[in-house]
Amino acid sequence: MKSTTKPLLDAWQWQMRASCRGLDSAVFFTPHGERGRARKRREEAARAICRSCPVSTACGSFATASGQYYGVWGGRTEAERRVERGVPRPR
């Protein structure tokens, strides 16, 4: 019987080509208490990295499929993914 599962390495291979590989994850995830302009600047810095990334589509798809609630993935912020999922903004 032939297996229909893919080797785990194949499923994650896109990460090897990610522009963010080896960078400080603090660029992509909100530190406690970050708000306003500081948050916008950090998110824009993350999005700039994602714009030049050859695997941003795969990254964004992974974030959506796995329900990543935090961070910038594939150039999309937490708020943007929340809207895509139809989840109301937290108060």
Side-chain angles (χ1 to χ4, degrees):
M1 176 186 274
K2 184 177 178 180
S3 174
T4 59
T5 59
K6 292 170 63 175
L8 190 57
L9 183 58
D10 288 352
W12 294 94
Q13 190 65 32
W14 61 270
Q15 290 184 343
M16 299 298 291
R17 298 186 330 270
S19 295
C20 63
R21 185 172 169 80
L23 297 180
D24 185 353
S25 63
V27 174
F28 299 92
F29 294 93
T30 306
H32 180 72
E34 182 186 61
R35 303 241 187 306
R37 288 185 193 149
R39 184 175 187 146
K40 290 264 187 222
R41 278 193 305 270
R42 184 193 46 76
E43 287 177 342
E44 272 309 308
R47 290 161 76 99
I49 294 165
C50 295
R51 276 193 291 276
S52 67
C53 183
V55 295
S56 63
T57 300
C59 180
S61 296
F62 166 78
T64 300
S66 62
Q68 299 297 315
Y69 292 107
Y70 303 104
V72 174
W73 292 82
R76 294 190 333 263
T77 65
E78 299 166 16
E80 291 166 333
R81 289 194 313 281
R82 195 179 306 111
V83 168
E84 290 170 3
R85 290 190 314 269
V87 176
R89 183 182 175 124
R91 296 182 187 256

